[in-house]
Amino acid sequence: MQTLSLIVPCFNEVDVIETSYVRFKKVMDGLTDVTPELIFINDGSTDKTGELLSAIAKNDYRVTVLHFSRNFGHQPAVTAGIHHCTGDLAVIMDADLQDPPELIPDLLETQRKENANVVYCVRKKRDGESLLKRLTSKLFYRSLNSLSEVQFPLDTGDFRLIDRKVMNEFDRFREKGKYIRGIISWVGFKQVPFYYHRDARFAGETKYPFRKMIHFAGTAMLYFSKKPLKIAIGLGFFAVMIGLVYGIWILMGKILGFSNAATGWSSIILLIIFFGGVQLLTVGVLGQYIGIIFDEVKDRPEYIIDKEEKYGE
Ligand code: UDP
Ligand code: MG
């Protein structure tokens, strides 16, 4: 029989974890054609999440908990889950029940019927998320697609089912800044969509404040696209063209006597600001990529596991 691993990252989820586990458990109990295991990643929670997860692992032989040494972030947590999972299939899901665990049998069925390697869940409707979040997220997925060299499915999170083939390929990715949904769609194989209704967070607050979302979007853009660099070149080219045209105009003015060069204070200031801006912008873009190279070259671990807990250990 195939094994199915559920990968659930948790960061300060004390308000939801017990209810979530009850629902995960119910779904696992109902699965007859796969052997389920549940991997919780405690991403350096500062509340009682860690203790709650340990208690769950003590009572359920299917549960493993990976405790991080500190908060490393959602993507490193999911990465650790994939690295540690031994299942033939895995489902990545949030702890806050926004991705309903009751859909797992449907995901499995879709996987079998389509003989798919990835079943990615597309949000048809999303509840309980602010207009700003929905708007920025829509804008993000669309601009990422227009910038990136690969096309990503729109409006999908990390909630998806992946098979061993995809996990083995994922394990070969050495990059530290992982944009997991991007990597999985980059990998290829047979990927099919599954449409669902995204519920509101069951309790507690989002762990993705605006600052983290910007950082996340940055990783996605910079790791999957070199277009910002091309845009920088385009800007430079544009600036040179303006310089050329303006230069010719001034020269002609001098020769033909219509130049206002002596009184051109405002135009000089304008040009300095404009070209200064273009230069800073392009250097900034370059700097972002250099920052990534710096991080990648250091080759630090993506996460540090303090301890791994299993039933009976
Ligand atoms: N999460 C995590 N580490 C973090 C932030 C979030 O493990 O630094 C987990 C969190 O516990 C949840 C999932 O990632 O299970 C998604 O986070 P959240 O629901 O807060 O994000 P949203 O659904 O609002 O985008
Ligand atoms: Mg959520």
Side-chain angles (χ1 to χ4, degrees), residues 9-11 13 43 71 73-74 77 94-96 98 133 198 201 205-208 212:
C10 309
F11 174 54
E13 296 289 10
D43 183 13
N71 179 243
H74 175 228
D94 287 359
D96 58 3
Q98 280 198 288
K133 177 140 190 168
R198 185 159 163 93
R201 177 175 253 282
E205 300 221 318
T206 175
K207 305 300 174 307
Y208 261 105
K212 271 195 190 171

Coordinates of all heavy atoms in Angstrom, one line a residue, residues 9-11 13 43 71 73-74 77 94-96 98 133 198 201 205-208 212, ligand 1:
P9 N 3.4 22.9 8.2 CA 4.2 23.9 8.9 C 3.4 24.7 9.9 O 2.3 25.0 9.6 CB 4.7 24.8 7.8 CG 3.7 24.8 6.8 CD 3.0 23.4 6.8
C10 N 4.0 24.9 11.1 CA 3.2 25.6 12.1 C 4.1 26.6 12.8 O 5.2 26.3 13.3 CB 2.8 24.6 13.3 SG 2.0 23.2 12.7
F11 N 3.6 27.8 12.9 CA 4.3 28.9 13.6 C 3.3 29.6 14.4 O 2.4 30.3 13.9 CB 5.0 29.9 12.6 CG 5.6 31.1 13.2 CD1 6.6 30.9 14.2 CD2 5.3 32.3 12.8 CE1 7.1 32.0 14.8 CE2 5.9 33.5 13.3 CZ 6.8 33.3 14.4
E13 N 0.8 28.6 16.3 CA -0.6 28.3 15.9 C -1.3 27.7 17.1 O -2.2 26.8 16.9 CB -0.6 27.2 14.8 CG 0.0 27.8 13.5 CD -0.9 28.8 12.8 OE1 -1.9 29.2 13.4 OE2 -0.6 29.1 11.6
D43 N 8.0 25.6 13.5 CA 8.9 26.6 13.0 C 9.3 27.6 14.0 O 9.0 28.8 13.9 CB 8.3 27.2 11.7 CG 9.2 28.2 11.0 OD1 10.4 28.2 11.4 OD2 8.8 29.0 10.2
N71 N 12.7 30.5 14.3 CA 11.8 30.7 13.2 C 12.6 30.9 11.9 O 13.3 31.8 11.8 CB 10.8 31.9 13.5 CG 9.9 32.2 12.4 OD1 10.0 33.2 11.8 ND2 9.0 31.2 12.1
G73 N 10.9 30.4 8.8 CA 9.9 30.8 7.8 C 9.2 29.7 7.2 O 9.6 28.5 7.3
H74 N 8.1 30.0 6.5 CA 7.2 29.0 6.0 C 7.8 28.1 4.9 O 7.7 26.9 5.0 CB 6.0 29.8 5.4 CG 5.0 28.9 4.6 ND1 4.5 29.3 3.4 CD2 4.4 27.8 5.0 CE1 3.7 28.3 3.0 NE2 3.6 27.4 4.0
A77 N 10.2 25.6 6.3 CA 9.5 24.6 7.1 C 8.9 23.6 6.1 O 9.1 22.3 6.4 CB 8.4 25.3 7.9
D94 N -1.6 24.1 5.0 CA -1.4 25.0 6.2 C -2.0 24.4 7.4 O -2.9 23.6 7.3 CB -2.1 26.3 5.9 CG -1.3 27.2 4.9 OD1 -0.2 26.7 4.4 OD2 -1.7 28.3 4.5
A95 N -1.6 24.9 8.6 CA -2.1 24.4 9.8 C -3.4 25.1 10.2 O -4.2 24.6 11.0 CB -1.1 24.7 10.9
D96 N -3.8 26.2 9.5 CA -4.9 26.9 10.0 C -6.3 26.5 9.3 O -7.2 27.3 9.4 CB -4.7 28.4 9.7 CG -4.4 28.7 8.3 OD1 -4.5 27.8 7.4 OD2 -4.1 29.9 7.9
Q98 N -7.2 26.5 6.4 CA -7.6 27.3 5.2 C -7.7 26.3 4.0 O -8.4 26.6 3.1 CB -6.6 28.4 4.9 CG -6.9 29.6 5.8 CD -6.3 30.9 5.2 OE1 -5.1 31.0 5.2 NE2 -7.1 31.8 4.7
K133 N -5.1 42.0 0.6 CA -4.4 40.7 0.4 C -4.8 40.1 -0.9 O -4.0 39.6 -1.7 CB -4.7 39.8 1.6 CG -4.0 38.5 1.4 CD -3.4 38.0 2.7 CE -2.6 36.7 2.5 NZ -1.8 36.3 3.6
R198 N -11.3 28.3 -0.8 CA -10.4 28.5 0.3 C -11.2 29.1 1.5 O -11.7 30.2 1.3 CB -9.2 29.4 -0.1 CG -8.2 29.6 1.0 CD -6.9 30.0 0.3 NE -5.9 30.6 1.2 CZ -5.0 29.9 1.8 NH1 -4.9 28.6 1.6 NH2 -4.1 30.5 2.6
R201 N -9.2 31.7 7.7 CA -8.4 31.1 8.8 C -9.3 30.8 9.9 O -10.1 31.6 10.3 CB -7.4 32.2 9.2 CG -6.5 31.8 10.3 CD -5.4 32.9 10.5 NE -4.1 32.4 10.0 CZ -3.3 31.6 10.7 NH1 -3.7 31.2 11.9 NH2 -2.2 31.2 10.3
E205 N -4.1 34.7 13.9 CA -3.8 35.8 12.9 C -2.9 35.2 11.8 O -2.2 34.2 12.0 CB -3.1 36.9 13.6 CG -3.9 37.5 14.7 CD -3.7 39.0 14.7 OE1 -2.6 39.5 14.5 OE2 -4.8 39.7 14.9
T206 N -3.0 35.9 10.6 CA -2.0 35.5 9.6 C -0.6 35.6 10.0 O -0.3 36.6 10.7 CB -2.3 36.2 8.3 OG1 -1.3 35.9 7.3 CG2 -2.2 37.8 8.5
K207 N 0.2 34.7 9.6 CA 1.7 34.8 10.0 C 2.5 35.4 8.8 O 3.7 35.3 8.8 CB 2.2 33.4 10.3 CG 1.4 32.6 11.4 CD 1.4 33.4 12.7 CE 0.6 32.9 13.8 NZ -0.8 32.6 13.5
Y208 N 1.7 35.9 7.8 CA 2.3 36.5 6.7 C 1.9 38.0 6.6 O 1.1 38.4 5.8 CB 1.8 35.8 5.4 CG 2.8 34.8 4.8 CD1 2.6 33.5 4.9 CD2 4.0 35.3 4.2 CE1 3.5 32.6 4.4 CE2 4.9 34.4 3.7 CZ 4.6 33.0 3.8 OH 5.5 32.1 3.3
K212 N 6.5 40.3 5.3 CA 6.9 38.9 4.8 C 6.4 38.7 3.4 O 7.1 38.0 2.7 CB 6.3 37.9 5.8 CG 7.2 37.6 7.0 CD 6.8 36.3 7.7 CE 7.5 36.1 9.0 NZ 6.9 35.0 9.8
Ligands
UDP1 N1 4.1 29.5 8.9 C1 5.3 29.0 9.3 N2 6.4 29.9 9.5 C2 6.3 31.2 9.3 C3 5.0 31.7 8.9 C4 4.0 30.9 8.7 O1 5.5 27.8 9.4 O2 7.2 32.0 9.6 C5 3.0 28.6 8.7 C6 1.7 28.9 9.4 O3 1.7 28.4 10.7 C7 0.7 28.3 8.5 C8 1.2 28.4 7.1 O4 2.6 28.6 7.3 O5 0.5 26.9 8.8 C9 0.7 29.6 6.3 O6 0.7 30.8 7.1 P1 -0.6 31.7 7.3 O7 -1.8 30.9 7.4 O8 -0.3 32.6 8.4 O9 -0.5 32.5 5.9 P2 -1.8 33.0 5.0 O10 -2.6 31.8 4.8 O11 -2.4 34.1 5.8 O12 -1.1 33.5 3.7

